[in-house]
Amino acid sequence: MPWIVIVSIGVPVALLFLYIVGKHIKLGKVLEGFSVFWFRFAFAFLLLFIIHLAVGYSGYNVPINLFSVTTIAVLGIPGVLGITFLIYFL
């Protein structure tokens, strides 16, 4: 079996197991923190994609990579400002 099939089945099963166990052990706050981080991660990717499309017409290239997305997901608006500062002034 290809590894992608194993991962696509194993990750949801593991998350379901963590959800069931978390209800009994009170891991709700930890799982909530993970879900907030992954939402911020996905939103940062979407934001970088929109910036990439908008700024691409003016000749600048906004990289969409793991570092940029993680920086914006962790720092928020200061992360966006930092990434744009790096793009325009370097």
Side-chain angles (χ1 to χ4, degrees), residues 53-74:
L53 289 177
V55 177
Y57 293 114
S58 64
Y60 291 103
N61 185 16
V62 179
I64 303 173
N65 54 24
L66 188 60
F67 175 75
S68 300
V69 172
T70 306
T71 302
I72 292 175
V74 171

Side-chain angles (χ1 to χ4, degrees), residues 11-63:
V11 170
V13 169
L15 289 176
L16 181 64
F17 176 73
L18 282 175
Y19 177 73
I20 292 170
V21 170
K23 285 196 153 228
H24 297 291
I25 303 176
K26 305 293 184 197
L27 288 178
K29 294 290 183 182
V30 173
L31 293 177
E32 183 179 345
F34 280 136
S35 67
V36 167
F37 175 74
W38 286 113
F39 175 77
R40 291 181 67 152
F41 193 83
F43 187 75
F45 179 78
L46 178 68
L47 181 67
L48 270 178
F49 183 71
I50 291 170
I51 291 172
H52 177 75
L53 289 177
V55 177
Y57 293 114
S58 64
Y60 291 103
N61 185 16
V62 179

